[in-house]
Amino acid sequence: MYIDLHCDTLWKFMEDKGQRNLLHNSFSVDIERLRKGNSLLQLFACFVPSAQIEDGYEYGMKMIAIMEDQEKLWKNQFSIVTSMEEVWKNHGLDKQNGMLTVEDGGMLCGRLERLDDLYKKRIRLMTLLWNDENCIGYPNSTDPGIMNKGLKPFGFEVVQRMNELGMIVDVSHLSDGGFWDVIKHSKEPVLASHSNSRNLCNHPRNLTDEMVKALANHGGIIGVNFYHRFIDDALEEGLLDRLTEHIVHMRNQGGIDLIALGTDFDGITGPLEIPDCGQMELLWMALRRKGFSEADIEKIQYKNAARFLNEVLK
Ligand SMILES: [Zn+2]
């Protein structure tokens, strides 16, 4: 059983209408393979790269509508949930769970009331940035002039309102300056939904040891990312083993209670040995080879994420 904090399958649905089928498709995530992989909860991102889309808000609303349609179509097998209570209830009924998120808070276009509307539409997590500057702040970057920039004034308002609503603040993609602003100002624990260790793979999308420790100290979690460029840019083989080294390293920095999963399925392509959500067993086997106990593997699979979601969602 596992919880995955990030996939981009909805983005695939926008690109390829013919394959818009959550029960069965040729992408990396569908209900059939979630069942096969024994998923407890899959988070689905409404990925709106706001700097590249004229009206990101409309685009995001279309994505939500697609998921609502899919939920109706497969209502006996799948539900969109907003709490862990619903997750466990559906699990008992042998149904698959999905939770809606927004990737790139730029779709707010500086309008705080849109956050409340997204909440009503059952969005329960927002990744503040993607890879472009938006109304909230600045993205991860190799340019220190950008990387050190903090949140914009509107960004602070967004974090505060998300805390009030019980919407999860996601710092993946954010500039380092923005990360520290969120850590300092968020009243609730925050997470990095799909990021790895910068110590092991020097990419600005990854987290420094200080960030890993800060997340741990604030009750946060980190979803490890399956993208090969965030695991090891030089490797063509053995990426799964290398991914477990990221897990070992971040555990050593922040403790086992910090580690969760954020596969990034359908947002990535590459040579990692796990091509889709039906084959997560390969990761559990790799963790056993690395010496992780069954109790620790369960924490990584779902217990840490479940604890976090239970705490932050209202
Ligand atoms: Zn992303």
mmCIF file of all heavy atoms in Angstrom, residues 1-3 40 84 88 259 261 297-307:
data_model
loop_
_atom_site.group_PDB
_atom_site.id
_atom_site.type_symbol
_atom_site.label_atom_id
_atom_site.label_comp_id
_atom_site.label_asym_id
_atom_site.label_seq_id
_atom_site.Cartn_x
_atom_site.Cartn_y
_atom_site.Cartn_z
ATOM 1 N N MET A 1 0.845 -1.193 0.000
ATOM 2 C CA MET A 1 0.000 0.000 0.000
ATOM 3 C C MET A 1 0.892 1.259 0.000
ATOM 4 O O MET A 1 1.889 1.305 0.708
ATOM 5 C CB MET A 1 -0.845 -0.028 1.279
ATOM 6 C CG MET A 1 -2.026 0.842 1.227
ATOM 7 S SD MET A 1 -3.307 0.251 2.356
ATOM 8 C CE MET A 1 -2.533 0.413 3.958
ATOM 9 N N TYR A 2 0.527 2.262 -0.815
ATOM 10 C CA TYR A 2 1.376 3.457 -0.849
ATOM 11 C C TYR A 2 0.563 4.704 -1.212
ATOM 12 O O TYR A 2 -0.536 4.618 -1.772
ATOM 13 C CB TYR A 2 2.537 3.279 -1.830
ATOM 14 C CG TYR A 2 2.133 3.348 -3.289
ATOM 15 C CD1 TYR A 2 2.229 4.546 -3.996
ATOM 16 C CD2 TYR A 2 1.620 2.243 -3.949
ATOM 17 C CE1 TYR A 2 1.836 4.635 -5.331
ATOM 18 C CE2 TYR A 2 1.221 2.321 -5.274
ATOM 19 C CZ TYR A 2 1.339 3.515 -5.962
ATOM 20 O OH TYR A 2 0.935 3.595 -7.263
ATOM 21 N N ILE A 3 1.134 5.862 -0.880
ATOM 22 C CA ILE A 3 0.586 7.173 -1.265
ATOM 23 C C ILE A 3 1.615 7.864 -2.152
ATOM 24 O O ILE A 3 2.787 7.964 -1.772
ATOM 25 C CB ILE A 3 0.296 8.046 -0.019
ATOM 26 C CG1 ILE A 3 -0.831 7.430 0.824
ATOM 27 C CG2 ILE A 3 -0.065 9.481 -0.433
ATOM 28 C CD1 ILE A 3 -1.114 8.166 2.133
ATOM 29 N N LEU A 40 -2.912 3.435 -2.128
ATOM 30 C CA LEU A 40 -3.903 3.892 -1.151
ATOM 31 C C LEU A 40 -4.469 5.239 -1.596
ATOM 32 O O LEU A 40 -5.673 5.486 -1.491
ATOM 33 C CB LEU A 40 -3.249 4.025 0.233
ATOM 34 C CG LEU A 40 -4.128 4.581 1.357
ATOM 35 C CD1 LEU A 40 -5.319 3.678 1.630
ATOM 36 C CD2 LEU A 40 -3.302 4.771 2.635
ATOM 37 N N MET A 84 -8.122 12.179 4.939
ATOM 38 C CA MET A 84 -7.666 10.797 5.153
ATOM 39 C C MET A 84 -8.826 9.906 5.595
ATOM 40 O O MET A 84 -8.837 8.717 5.308
ATOM 41 C CB MET A 84 -6.530 10.747 6.182
ATOM 42 C CG MET A 84 -5.161 11.087 5.654
ATOM 43 S SD MET A 84 -4.685 10.199 4.122
ATOM 44 C CE MET A 84 -4.644 8.499 4.658
ATOM 45 N N TRP A 88 -9.553 6.236 3.937
ATOM 46 C CA TRP A 88 -9.672 4.925 4.604
ATOM 47 C C TRP A 88 -11.043 4.294 4.348
ATOM 48 O O TRP A 88 -11.156 3.078 4.188
ATOM 49 C CB TRP A 88 -9.408 5.071 6.105
ATOM 50 C CG TRP A 88 -7.971 5.367 6.411
ATOM 51 C CD1 TRP A 88 -7.475 6.490 7.020
ATOM 52 C CD2 TRP A 88 -6.832 4.548 6.111
ATOM 53 N NE1 TRP A 88 -6.106 6.422 7.112
ATOM 54 C CE2 TRP A 88 -5.680 5.240 6.570
ATOM 55 C CE3 TRP A 88 -6.654 3.302 5.499
ATOM 56 C CZ2 TRP A 88 -4.384 4.732 6.441
ATOM 57 C CZ3 TRP A 88 -5.354 2.793 5.370
ATOM 58 C CH2 TRP A 88 -4.253 3.507 5.831
ATOM 59 N N ILE A 259 10.316 10.799 5.067
ATOM 60 C CA ILE A 259 10.400 10.291 3.689
ATOM 61 C C ILE A 259 9.050 9.783 3.174
ATOM 62 O O ILE A 259 8.409 8.939 3.790
ATOM 63 C CB ILE A 259 11.430 9.136 3.575
ATOM 64 C CG1 ILE A 259 12.759 9.506 4.263
ATOM 65 C CG2 ILE A 259 11.650 8.768 2.102
ATOM 66 C CD1 ILE A 259 13.555 10.570 3.590
ATOM 67 N N LEU A 261 6.692 9.652 -0.999
ATOM 68 C CA LEU A 261 6.880 9.397 -2.431
ATOM 69 C C LEU A 261 6.209 10.469 -3.280
ATOM 70 O O LEU A 261 5.074 10.855 -3.013
ATOM 71 C CB LEU A 261 6.271 8.030 -2.786
ATOM 72 C CG LEU A 261 6.779 6.851 -1.957
ATOM 73 C CD1 LEU A 261 5.829 5.667 -2.116
ATOM 74 C CD2 LEU A 261 8.188 6.469 -2.387
ATOM 75 N N ILE A 297 9.851 0.800 5.742
ATOM 76 C CA ILE A 297 9.305 0.815 4.373
ATOM 77 C C ILE A 297 7.835 1.240 4.403
ATOM 78 O O ILE A 297 7.396 2.038 3.573
ATOM 79 C CB ILE A 297 9.494 -0.564 3.689
ATOM 80 C CG1 ILE A 297 10.989 -0.799 3.413
ATOM 81 C CG2 ILE A 297 8.709 -0.642 2.373
ATOM 82 C CD1 ILE A 297 11.337 -2.197 2.911
ATOM 83 N N GLU A 298 7.102 0.780 5.392
ATOM 84 C CA GLU A 298 5.693 1.196 5.523
ATOM 85 C C GLU A 298 5.558 2.698 5.765
ATOM 86 O O GLU A 298 4.633 3.342 5.269
ATOM 87 C CB GLU A 298 5.014 0.446 6.668
ATOM 88 C CG GLU A 298 4.597 -0.960 6.289
ATOM 89 C CD GLU A 298 3.710 -1.599 7.347
ATOM 90 O OE1 GLU A 298 3.654 -1.075 8.486
ATOM 91 O OE2 GLU A 298 3.080 -2.623 7.038
ATOM 92 N N LYS A 299 6.514 3.247 6.523
ATOM 93 C CA LYS A 299 6.487 4.703 6.741
ATOM 94 C C LYS A 299 6.672 5.438 5.421
ATOM 95 O O LYS A 299 5.976 6.409 5.134
ATOM 96 C CB LYS A 299 7.589 5.119 7.713
ATOM 97 C CG LYS A 299 7.293 4.759 9.153
ATOM 98 C CD LYS A 299 8.338 5.341 10.085
ATOM 99 C CE LYS A 299 7.900 5.156 11.528
ATOM 100 N NZ LYS A 299 8.787 5.855 12.465
ATOM 101 N N ILE A 300 7.628 4.966 4.613
ATOM 102 C CA ILE A 300 7.903 5.591 3.312
ATOM 103 C C ILE A 300 6.708 5.394 2.377
ATOM 104 O O ILE A 300 6.308 6.303 1.655
ATOM 105 C CB ILE A 300 9.186 4.985 2.686
ATOM 106 C CG1 ILE A 300 10.403 5.294 3.569
ATOM 107 C CG2 ILE A 300 9.393 5.484 1.257
ATOM 108 C CD1 ILE A 300 11.652 4.489 3.209
ATOM 109 N N GLN A 301 6.143 4.214 2.398
ATOM 110 C CA GLN A 301 5.026 3.896 1.488
ATOM 111 C C GLN A 301 3.813 4.779 1.746
ATOM 112 O O GLN A 301 3.267 5.368 0.825
ATOM 113 C CB GLN A 301 4.624 2.429 1.657
ATOM 114 C CG GLN A 301 5.633 1.455 1.048
ATOM 115 C CD GLN A 301 5.324 0.016 1.409
ATOM 116 O OE1 GLN A 301 4.849 -0.278 2.510
ATOM 117 N NE2 GLN A 301 5.616 -0.891 0.494
ATOM 118 N N TYR A 302 3.354 4.853 3.007
ATOM 119 C CA TYR A 302 2.126 5.614 3.245
ATOM 120 C C TYR A 302 1.981 6.215 4.643
ATOM 121 O O TYR A 302 1.258 7.194 4.819
ATOM 122 C CB TYR A 302 0.887 4.750 2.970
ATOM 123 C CG TYR A 302 0.635 3.659 3.997
ATOM 124 C CD1 TYR A 302 -0.233 3.877 5.061
ATOM 125 C CD2 TYR A 302 1.266 2.438 3.904
ATOM 126 C CE1 TYR A 302 -0.461 2.890 6.013
ATOM 127 C CE2 TYR A 302 1.049 1.445 4.845
ATOM 128 C CZ TYR A 302 0.186 1.677 5.900
ATOM 129 O OH TYR A 302 -0.017 0.700 6.834
ATOM 130 N N LYS A 303 2.691 5.677 5.636
ATOM 131 C CA LYS A 303 2.408 6.138 6.998
ATOM 132 C C LYS A 303 2.808 7.595 7.230
ATOM 133 O O LYS A 303 2.084 8.348 7.876
ATOM 134 C CB LYS A 303 3.078 5.219 8.017
ATOM 135 C CG LYS A 303 2.345 3.893 8.153
ATOM 136 C CD LYS A 303 2.767 3.099 9.365
ATOM 137 C CE LYS A 303 1.848 1.908 9.553
ATOM 138 N NZ LYS A 303 2.427 0.915 10.470
ATOM 139 N N ASN A 304 3.964 8.001 6.692
ATOM 140 C CA ASN A 304 4.392 9.397 6.870
ATOM 141 C C ASN A 304 3.440 10.354 6.154
ATOM 142 O O ASN A 304 3.023 11.369 6.718
ATOM 143 C CB ASN A 304 5.815 9.590 6.341
ATOM 144 C CG ASN A 304 6.850 8.871 7.203
ATOM 145 O OD1 ASN A 304 6.608 8.583 8.371
ATOM 146 N ND2 ASN A 304 8.001 8.585 6.618
ATOM 147 N N ALA A 305 3.097 10.032 4.917
ATOM 148 C CA ALA A 305 2.205 10.895 4.144
ATOM 149 C C ALA A 305 0.819 10.942 4.799
ATOM 150 O O ALA A 305 0.203 12.014 4.890
ATOM 151 C CB ALA A 305 2.102 10.405 2.704
ATOM 152 N N ALA A 306 0.339 9.796 5.279
ATOM 153 C CA ALA A 306 -0.988 9.752 5.918
ATOM 154 C C ALA A 306 -1.002 10.614 7.183
ATOM 155 O O ALA A 306 -1.957 11.357 7.433
ATOM 156 C CB ALA A 306 -1.372 8.309 6.240
ATOM 157 N N ARG A 307 0.066 10.512 7.968
ATOM 158 C CA ARG A 307 0.177 11.331 9.188
ATOM 159 C C ARG A 307 0.125 12.816 8.832
ATOM 160 O O ARG A 307 -0.613 13.604 9.434
ATOM 161 C CB ARG A 307 1.502 11.011 9.894
ATOM 162 C CG ARG A 307 1.757 11.814 11.159
ATOM 163 C CD ARG A 307 3.253 11.895 11.499
ATOM 164 N NE ARG A 307 3.971 12.807 10.629
ATOM 165 C CZ ARG A 307 5.091 12.507 9.971
ATOM 166 N NH1 ARG A 307 5.646 11.329 10.070
ATOM 167 N NH2 ARG A 307 5.663 13.423 9.203
#
